[in-house]
Structures are given as structure tokens and as C-alpha cells.
Amino acid sequence: MDTPADLISVPRPDNRKRNLTIGLVVALILGSAIFAGFNPLEILENFQKGGRLLKRMFFPPAWKYAPRVIAPLVETVRMALVGTFWGAVVALPAAVFAASNFLNMPWISRPLRLVLNIFRTIPAMVLASLFVAVFGIGAFSGVVALSIFTFGLISKLTYESIEAIDYGQVEALMSLGANKITILRYAIMPQILPQFMSYVLYGFEVNVRAAAVLGYVGAGGIGQTFEQNLAFRNFDRVGVIIVISFAVVLVIDLVSSHIRRRLV
Amino acid sequence: MEKIEIKKELPWSTVLYRVVNYGGLIVLILWGMAGIPYKGVMATARGTMASLVQGIFHPDMAYLTNTTIDGLPYAVLETIAIAISGTFVSAVISIPFALLASQNIVGRRVSLIGKFIVTMIRTFPELILALIFISVVGPGAPAGILALGIHSIGMLGKLFSEAIESMDTGVKEALESCGGNRGEVLFRAVLPQVSPELISYTLYRFEINMRAASTLGLVGAGGIGAPLIFAIRTRSWSRAMIIVLVLIVTVSLIDMISSRVRKKLV
């Protein structure tokens, strides 16, 4: 039977490659779910249990415990501040050396990039537990881990910014016979500094969130308090910690992203 | 040659503004440093470092070639499986959240509520989500998948809604003017138009989730984190180092593949 759609013959695009890709992706997702033992039905059955836990945590949280959350929370913010600071201080010169367009020294930029990539693949949590073994339990280990992690993150973003600068100013200075340092100071820095500051703020936001959980491996901050209370199954105290640290992180995020929007 | 002098005088308000800003920043950082006591290295640090270096040069090869459920290959595969499943779950759930946060779909006022919800989800640490889900479904990979699936909505919902807000509304309006209902507009205009971007963002999140999945094991939510933290705590550096090494290689490989696909997409 001829429907109107059949009368107009539109050449169909070859969908075989597309279908093959879709099939592969579906197989990958299904395979992963089965391999990891992920069964949505089983999870739905357990939801009541989750509800009960949430009730013990948040209805109501142990507000009396709140004053004792402040000190570790302040330590968390301090860790993030100092970690971001040291990471950023080292990241700026490293980014200049890692950028392929300015110094044009592949023998230094290539290995440097490799190191930066490696730093970014090691989770801050793993770094922290390594440093706890060296510096002992406490905020200092966390700060070292955060510094290294931030260094990898900010350097990468910054060298990409340096590689994407507008060459007009660089060429103008070069035509006047300026040396590399003058070019760096008057053509490159003014262009990337706002972006760099924005990356630093972004790093700070990431670090506040990371610092909040680093205590789980003994690297200081609110995570340590969190872990102790969880171990003793003081769920109402855990609830207070979650609520207060969540509020602090949210406020820091909102303020920081507001500043970032004004920067770039 | 005469030197050209440029008179540069800043208005006092700018000077004050800068002093307050930079001064405040410096005070803030000093305040931070004052609260981080350096208690020296551990008495055992020298020995730790020595055995760490020893571990780097003598990684535990038996663990790498152990293909049973206790071996490294299984842990790596499980980590990848958690990342894939978690990313998929969150990509699916993110679409309604993104629509709710898109100004050109639900209007300005509702979109602000949607944006706030997405921001809240983004701020909630995945590790704590994992702990909550562990007490719901028990320790293991499913808890990790759920944690990633929920936490990633925070970022994907935001990126998806930005993609939807910046799309060309021509197709959508054309369908609406022909009398297409909401479902038709959504599935025939909005989603097909933004799908390359959505897939690209999902892949990007997958890269991030690969890293996240490798730490979830620290709290018992499956993957490579559990053997890693165990190796570090028991100071078995040759095993810890082979895990870190394999982790670096796996994450880098996945990054490379994923970013290549992303470049093709958008």
C-alpha cells in the first residue's frame, strides 16, 4: 500500500556506522552495569532503609553539636586557602615554561606537561594519604596534597590560556626589539592575569570541597570529625556536620563564582 | 635618544581599592597559614621515603598479572564500570534537571529555582553521598555508581542547561507554530539540536568520574580505591605504586580517547 510518505522517495542516509556506534555504546553501558552488579530494582527496594538513615541524620540534626563543628570547619577553609596559594604561586611560572608558544623550548615544555598530566591523574585523596604517611596525621599533610593537586590543575588551564593569547601585542613589542622578559611582562601577563585569577578562584572552590573530605584519610579538616562521628554511628551529629559544611561550601562557591564572572 | 615618559597617576579611589583588595587577600592567606601547624616530618619519614622509592622501582608485578577477583585488572575494570554506569545514570537524570534550569524552556523564575537545585547538588561531596548510599545498598560498586550518578547531575545539569539556553530557537518555534505539543517540541527540536553538546559534556564528565571512581573505594564504594588505601595504610609500597602507576596509565588513556571523540563531536 502506498502511503504519502512512500510516494516521496527520499534517499536515506547510510545509518550502518551510526547504528554500530550506538550498539557499541549500549553494550558498553549494559556490560558495565552488569559487571558492577548494578540492579536498579534492588536499589528501589532498599530505598526505605535510606529514608530511615536520612531521618536519623536530618530530622532533626543535633544542633547542640554545631559549636564544635566550627573549629574543624575553619581549619578546612584555611587548608583550602593555603593549598590554593602555594599551588598557584608555583603554577604561574610552570605554565609559562609549559606553554609551547612563548619560550619555544620543547625539551622543557614536553616533560613538564607530562608531569602536570600525571599530577592531575592522581586524586587528591591518594596524595593526601601518601603525605599522611610522611608528615603524620594533620592539616599539613592535606595542605601539601592540595598544593600539588592545585598546581597541576591551574598550570594546565593557564598554559592553555597562554597558548591562546592574541599575538598582536607580542608582535608589536617584538617589532620594537623587546626581549622575552619585556614581552612576558607587558604582552602576555596583562592578557592572562584575569584568567589566571579566575582559575585560582576555581581551584579554591575545588579545594574547599576536597579539603572537606580529606580528613577521611587523616589529613585534617572537617572530614576527620565527620569520620569519627560516622564510626560511632552518631548520625544526628553527622547530619549537623553535613548541613553546616554544605552551607559554608555553597556560600564560598556562590561568592567565588560571582567574582569570577566579573573577572573574565 | 630621548626617553618618552608617560605620566601615570592613578586616582586615589583606585589606589584605595587595590590596597584593600590585595591587602585583604594577603591577610587572608597569612591567617590561613597561621592555622596550619607544621609539626615536622614523622620520625619514620626517612624510612617511609626509602621504601616508597624502593616501591617505585620494584612494583608488585604479581598483583598486576593476577587475573582473579583479587587482582589489579579486576579492580581497574570495576572502576571503569562504575565510572561508565555512574555517568550514564547521571546523564539521563540530568536532562529533566537541565530543562528545569533552562530559561528558554520553563521561563525565568522557574529556571532560577532549577539552577539553585543544580548548584546544591554540585556542592554536595560525592564521597559523603557514597557513604550515605553505602548504608542504603551496602558496600560495593552499586553505592559508588549511585554516588557518581547523583553528584554528576550538579555539573551536567548546569552544562546541559547552558547548551539548551544558547541553542538556536528557530526549529523549536517552527514546531510550536505548526501546533507541536510539548513532547514533540522536546524530542524533535530541543534534544536533537543539543545532543552533540550533551554527549560531549557527558564524555567530559566521564573523564572526571574516572578519577572520582578511583577514590570512592576509600570509603568502600567499590573500585581501585579500596586496595590502594589498604596498601598505603599497611605501607606495602610496592603494591601501592603499581596501583598508582596503573591508575595514571588508565586515566591518561581514557582522557586521550575521550578528548579525541569530543573533538570530533562538536
Side-chain angles (χ1 to χ4, degrees):
Chain A
M1 199 180 80
D2 282 354
T3 58
D6 289 331
L7 294 174
I8 314 162
S9 73
V10 183
R12 286 189 150 265
D14 186 18
N15 275 341
R16 241 179 307 170
K17 204 179 159 194
R18 201 188 109 190
N19 291 341
L20 193 70
T21 316
I22 293 176
L24 265 174
V25 170
V26 170
L28 206 59
I29 292 168
L30 279 178
S32 299
I34 294 166
F35 187 82
F38 186 64
N39 182 357
L41 289 175
E42 203 179 328
I43 285 152
L44 285 177
E45 274 171 29
N46 276 312
F47 247 75
Q48 249 184 334
K49 238 160 101 190
R52 244 177 299 161
L53 179 80
L54 288 178
K55 203 177 157 211
R56 282 181 66 186
M57 277 183 175
F58 300 114
F59 299 100
W63 289 118
K64 267 193 213 151
Y65 188 67
R68 282 164 65 191
V69 176
I70 307 296
L73 205 57
V74 168
E75 190 182 51
T76 309
V77 176
R78 282 177 147 150
M79 283 165 64
L81 262 174
V82 180
T84 313
F85 174 71
W86 286 120
V89 164
V90 189
L92 192 58
V96 172
F97 281 104
S100 59
N101 58 344
F102 171 59
L103 289 173
N104 209 1
M105 294 189 289
W107 56 272
I108 188 155
S109 61
R110 290 230 180 99
L112 193 58
R113 280 168 184 224
L114 188 71
V115 172
L116 292 180
N117 275 334
I118 289 176
F119 278 174
R120 283 187 315 114
T121 50
I122 309 176
M125 209 63 169
V126 174
L127 282 174
S129 45
L130 278 175
F131 287 118
V132 166
V134 177
F135 296 110
I137 287 176
F140 189 81
S141 308
V143 168
V144 178
L146 289 180
S147 305
I148 290 182
F149 177 74
T150 319
F151 163 66
L153 178 75
I154 297 183
S155 307
K156 179 177 190 262
L157 292 169
T158 311
Y159 84 66
E160 282 173 353
S161 289
I162 296 179
E163 287 176 354
I165 57 164
D166 173 19
Y167 278 98
Q169 298 170 28
V170 178
E171 279 162 9
L173 281 180
M174 264 160 77
S175 68
L176 292 170
N179 62 19
K180 285 266 179 193
I181 292 175
T182 316
I183 292 175
L184 184 68
R185 168 71 185 81
Y186 290 101
I188 295 179
M189 282 304 152
Q191 284 193 51
I192 63 152
L193 271 183
Q195 285 175 51
F196 174 73
M197 286 310 290
S198 145
Y199 297 147
V200 173
L201 280 171
Y202 170 68
F204 178 61
E205 288 169 39
V206 175
N207 278 347
V208 172
R209 270 175 263 159
V213 291
L214 279 187
Y216 209 81
V217 293
I222 188 84
Q224 232 158 309
T225 324
F226 180 85
E227 205 237 330
Q228 283 157 11
N229 281 305
L230 197 75
F232 288 115
R233 305 181 74 79
N234 292 327
F235 289 117
D236 48 349
R237 289 183 174 186
V238 169
V240 160
I241 297 173
I242 291 178
V243 169
I244 296 182
S245 33
F246 179 67
V248 170
V249 174
L250 194 65
V251 168
I252 289 178
D253 255 31
L254 290 176
V255 171
S256 164
S257 58
H258 178 76
I259 301 175
R260 276 200 284 145
R261 233 171 291 145
R262 281 180 46 179
L263 270 173
V264 184
Chain B
M1 204 174 89
E2 209 181 328
K3 226 181 171 182
I4 304 165
E5 232 174 81
I6 301 166
K7 238 191 178 170
K8 205 173 159 193
E9 253 178 38
L10 292 169
W12 67 270
S13 60
T14 317
V15 174
L16 187 74
Y17 181 76
R18 284 191 188 171
V19 166
V20 168
N21 269 338
Y22 290 117
L25 197 62
I26 290 168
V27 168
L28 203 62
I29 290 165
L30 287 177
W31 169 78
M33 285 178 179
I36 310 292
Y38 174 64
K39 290 176 290 195
V41 294
M42 300 262 282
T44 51
R46 192 178 286 263
T48 308
M49 289 303 275
S51 44
L52 230 162
V53 173
Q54 176 84 7
I56 294 175
F57 290 109
H58 302 278
D60 186 351
M61 285 317 215
Y63 188 50
L64 179 64
T65 49
N66 180 354
T67 48
T68 65
I69 201 162
D70 299 316
L72 186 52
Y74 183 86
V76 171
L77 280 180
E78 194 183 45
T79 312
I80 298 175
I82 292 171
I84 291 179
S85 311
T87 311
F88 177 70
V89 168
S90 86
V92 173
I93 312 177
S94 290
I95 292 173
F97 277 95
L99 293 170
L100 192 70
S102 299
Q103 205 177 323
N104 53 351
I105 304 287
V106 291
R108 193 166 178 280
R109 219 171 284 166
V110 181
S111 84
L112 282 179
I113 300 171
K115 283 195 170 93
F116 186 70
I117 295 174
V118 169
T119 307
M120 282 199 12
I121 298 176
R122 192 170 56 240
T123 325
F124 206 85
E126 58 218 339
L127 222 55
I128 292 174
L129 275 176
L131 285 166
I132 293 176
F133 282 123
I134 281 172
S135 47
V136 178
V137 295
I145 293 172
L146 285 172
L148 289 184
I150 301 295
H151 178 74
S152 311
I153 296 171
M155 191 186 104
L156 285 184
K158 178 175 186 262
L159 292 175
F160 284 8
S161 83
E162 280 168 6
I164 294 170
E165 281 183 341
S166 63
M167 75 175 188
D168 175 20
T169 48
V171 184
K172 178 175 165 263
E173 279 158 16
L175 272 189
E176 276 165 355
S177 69
C178 293
N181 62 27
R182 275 178 163 247
E184 281 163 350
V185 170
L186 181 64
F187 286 106
R188 302 270 167 205
V190 177
L191 290 183
Q193 216 174 339
V194 294
S195 64
E197 274 170 288
L198 299 202
I199 295 171
S200 165
Y201 288 142
T202 306
L203 275 172
Y204 176 57
R205 184 66 215 189
F206 171 58
E207 293 169 35
I208 298 176
N209 278 349
M210 235 346 258
R211 293 176 168 81
S214 56
T215 54
L216 284 176
L218 299 185
V219 297
I224 203 169
L228 179 55
I229 195 74
F230 187 72
I232 293 174
R233 284 205 172 137
T234 55
R235 309 282 188 265
S236 345
W237 297 116
S238 59
R239 175 162 290 197
M241 282 306 135
I242 188 77
I243 299 177
V244 170
L245 216 68
V246 168
L247 190 63
I248 290 172
V249 171
T250 314
V251 171
S252 308
L253 266 178
I254 285 178
D255 269 18
M256 257 166 55
I257 298 169
S258 163
S259 65
R260 192 160 295 178
V261 176
R262 278 195 287 135
K263 253 174 223 155
K264 265 191 170 175
L265 270 170
V266 183

